Amino acid sequence: MSAWDAVVARARDWVGKGSQLSWVVPIERDHWETQREFQHRRKVTVVTLAVGTPVLRYALSRKPGSREFYASTLVLAGIWAGGAFASGPLHAGWSSTRNPGKNTRPVVRPMAIGAGAVVFFAAGAAVIARIPALRRPVLAVLNHARFGSLPVVVPLTLITGVGEEFFFRGALYAATKQPHQIAVTTAVYTVATGITGNPMLVFAAGVLGLLVAIERRTTGGVQGPIIIHLTWSTGMLLVLPPLIEYRR
């Protein structure tokens, strides 16, 4: 039993046997892979990661608002998504309801989780804005929203977010043996982001990676993680730049 399974088991005992704890208890799995399919997925994810990580570093090192930034970001989204679908089938996932035996696609809960993450980071930004050593790496990322064209940056950021979830919580998660998916996907996502050399971006990747990995485990698919990621990304682009400037 993994550490996460132990936490879930204890939570069940504490709340009571009658509670379903649908927000942490994994949905019943409805798809399986052969060993050959699993090995194929692992090989494709390794190649995709090796190609995508340096492109990520290149994209974030380009001048904010430049054509090179827009082009490389779009290429990166294509690499993540292309590798994910080349590795094998991806699944949307399900969320349990109060009606026994009836599930629905995850929408409301992941939106709430994403909004909560925005509030968490916004509160942190109020502190970071007063510390020059921490404010600089944050502004280095947010400059793409501050100096770029929002009608272009926002859709591009969302496209990249979808591509990342297809790969990291789709292909990579499915290519990792149980019960290590949460730890491995979060670590790999954080390390891949770490190649950018931006400590605040690495911290954000660690927190976001953990949230979406738990959602992936709970729902059994990528729809929930995608919604969390897109909600978080939109909030970061629209809320943090003016907040950082206001608190300076």
Side-chain angles (χ1 to χ4, degrees), residues 128-208:
I128 289 173
R130 297 181 178 275
I131 306 174
L134 297 179
R135 184 173 64 243
R136 293 191 201 98
V138 173
L139 288 176
V141 178
L142 295 180
N143 280 343
H144 294 288
R146 296 167 68 230
F147 301 125
S149 172
L150 274 182
V152 177
V153 172
V154 172
L156 199 57
T157 300
L158 300 184
I159 290 172
T160 303
V162 172
E164 289 182 354
E165 293 311 313
F166 278 156
F167 178 72
F168 288 97
R169 262 61 62 175
L172 180 61
Y173 191 100
T176 305
K177 291 184 178 181
Q178 298 181 2
H180 309 295
Q181 295 98 328
I182 292 178
V184 170
T185 55
T186 302
V188 173
Y189 184 60
T190 304
V191 171
T193 306
I195 202 172
T196 63
N198 188 308
M200 300 310 296
L201 192 59
V202 173
F203 172 75
V207 175
L208 178 64

Side-chain angles (χ1 to χ4, degrees), residues 7-23:
V7 170
V8 171
R10 290 181 181 179
R12 275 175 167 164
D13 294 338
W14 182 74
V15 176
K17 294 182 179 180
S19 174
Q20 294 299 312
L21 287 179
S22 62
W23 57 284

Side-chain angles (χ1 to χ4, degrees), residues 106-119:
V107 176
V108 177
R109 180 182 63 194
M111 287 183 67
I113 295 173
V118 172
V119 172

Side-chain angles (χ1 to χ4, degrees), residues 35-53:
Q35 184 63 22
R36 183 176 181 179
E37 292 170 334
F38 179 73
Q39 292 301 327
H40 169 75
R41 194 185 289 276
R42 301 190 82 172
K43 292 176 182 177
V44 173
T45 54
V46 169
V47 172
T48 304
L49 192 61
V51 175
T53 300

Side-chain angles (χ1 to χ4, degrees), residues 31-33 37 40-41 84-91 170-171 174 216:
H31 52 272
W32 303 90
E33 290 185 342
E37 292 170 334
H40 169 75
R41 194 185 289 276
F85 284 104
S87 73
L90 302 179
H91 304 275
R216 168 64 172 85

